[in-house]
Amino acid sequence: MDRRELAGFLRGRRERISPADVGLPAGTRRRTPGLRREEVARLAYISTEYYTRLEQARGPRPSQEVLAGLTRALRLTDVERDHLHRLADAPLVPSTGPAREVRQSILDLLRRLPQAAAIVLSAAHEVIAWNDLAVALMEDFSALPRRERNFVRRAFLGPHLYGLSDVQQFAHSSALRLRAAAARYPGDADLAELIADLRAGSAEFARLWEQHDVRAEPVLRKTFRHPVVGPVTVDCDVLEISDRDQQVVLYTVAPGSASEEAFRLLSVIGTQRMTPEDDAPSRATR
């Protein structure tokens, strides 16, 4: 891995992108051309410290996931993406599992939905993108280990799942979708490990798995029990991204409702972390 060349390449790509290119305000005290390091890190869903180390030629070899995030954040062309991978000594390999890279147009869509909480789920039910209101409603996904971003793991094994009113129904439907995903990606080690963990750790999941069902009814409305603003009832709509086997999940509230006022408050107060005690009764294994 050529750390110095990688650092120079990242810095050069960062400085050529304006905040407007990625939907960010320019501000009045911007002393460097292009994006700030923390802005690139946020867009790539990595820590600012880690990205800074890469630009200072002090970072470890980036993973395929990090390189995909940098490709997206820096708006790299296919040629530039391939060059980035060569500098990191991480040649591109065909994916054999659920896609985790989110198309730039979908990320732009999430940022343009200030009145909706929106997330993107992989075929394995992992949260792979989100907007600010989703963070305020649920939690800061960027601060979580990858394992804890998986909704089906949390539904059956914990920790809490945001006080959802339909956690039992969600757990059931997610188990069915996971079986269908396992059939589509039989060679994916991460998916196999997730299923093994769920079967070993949850009798309820093991029971559902043995039924071999693959059809689940959609849930169109649910309630989050937020520790600051209280219950928030949302309409839930799912948009399929068929070419990447992903889902955009949109949570919206009825105009004039108490939940709409709660959404307004959440957009002001930002992230409020819940604790497991807030959601003790909601685990699907009980």
Side-chain angles (χ1 to χ4, degrees):
M1 170 179 165
D2 193 332
R3 286 180 171 81
R4 289 190 178 277
E5 286 294 323
L6 175 61
F9 180 72
L10 291 174
R11 187 165 53 252
R13 300 307 90 184
R14 172 173 63 83
E15 291 176 350
R16 74 173 186 174
I17 300 176
S18 71
D21 291 336
V22 293
L24 295 175
T28 58
R29 297 185 178 180
R30 189 173 293 271
R31 293 178 294 181
T32 58
L35 297 178
R36 298 187 178 102
R37 286 172 174 170
E38 59 267 26
E39 291 169 337
V40 174
R42 181 182 178 187
L43 292 170
Y45 297 105
I46 59 178
S47 72
T48 301
E49 179 185 2
Y50 179 43
Y51 179 75
T52 300
R53 292 176 65 194
L54 289 176
E55 273 206 13
Q56 293 175 344
R58 299 187 298 111
R61 177 186 297 173
S63 66
Q64 294 281 349
E65 178 183 357
V66 168
L67 292 172
L70 291 172
T71 297
R72 180 179 63 243
L74 296 172
R75 303 290 183 95
L76 300 184
T77 66
D78 289 346
V79 173
E80 290 170 331
R81 178 202 60 195
D82 293 345
H83 183 61
L84 173 67
H85 279 259
R86 284 193 295 270
L87 292 176
D89 193 22
L92 286 166
V93 295
S95 174
T96 58
R100 302 187 67 257
E101 183 176 355
V102 182
R103 193 161 53 234
Q104 183 61 48
S105 59
I106 299 298
L107 295 173
D108 292 341
L109 171 65
L110 265 57
R111 283 193 292 270
R112 292 168 181 157
L113 295 172
Q115 297 180 355
I119 59 175
V120 180
L121 295 177
S122 72
H125 263 80
E126 179 187 346
V127 181
I128 53 178
W130 53 87
N131 66 3
D132 290 342
L133 192 52
V135 168
L137 179 64
M138 290 174 273
E139 66 182 309
D140 184 0
F141 297 105
S142 68
L144 297 178
R146 179 178 167 187
R147 286 166 62 91
E148 292 186 21
R149 295 183 196 174
N150 190 285
F151 274 10
V152 66
R153 180 185 291 276
R154 295 181 70 153
F156 285 98
L157 304 180
H160 64 94
L161 200 60
Y162 316 115
L164 282 177
S165 59
D166 70 323
V167 67
Q168 295 284 347
Q169 186 175 359
F170 171 80
H172 180 266
S173 64
S174 64
L176 306 190
R177 289 184 59 86
L178 198 62
R179 174 171 282 284
R184 294 195 298 275
Y185 306 104
D188 184 57
D190 288 345
L191 193 56
E193 180 184 3
L194 171 64
I195 293 168
D197 289 348
L198 290 166
R199 295 183 72 181
S202 170
E204 175 66 7
F205 180 86
R207 182 186 68 80
L208 291 170
W209 193 255
E210 292 305 317
Q211 292 178 355
H212 292 268
D213 291 336
V214 293
R215 179 178 175 83
E217 295 299 323
V219 176
L220 301 181
R221 177 165 291 188
K222 58 183 64 185
T223 299
F224 291 87
R225 191 172 70 246
H226 195 277
V228 176
V229 301
V232 183
T233 299
V234 299
D235 294 321
C236 179
D237 293 286
V238 178
L239 309 178
E240 299 284 347
I241 309 175
S242 58
D243 64 312
R244 302 208 176 184
D245 201 7
Q246 297 169 351
Q247 293 181 320
V248 179
V249 184
L250 302 175
Y251 302 114
T252 56
V253 292
S257 66
S259 293
E260 184 182 39
E261 184 60 33
F263 257 32
R264 289 198 188 100
L265 183 57
L266 285 174
S267 67
V268 174
I269 64 177
T271 306
Q272 293 289 340
R273 298 295 298 273
M274 296 172 67
T275 62
E277 288 76 11
D278 293 321
D279 190 35
S282 72
R283 288 180 59 181
T285 52
R286 299 194 177 186

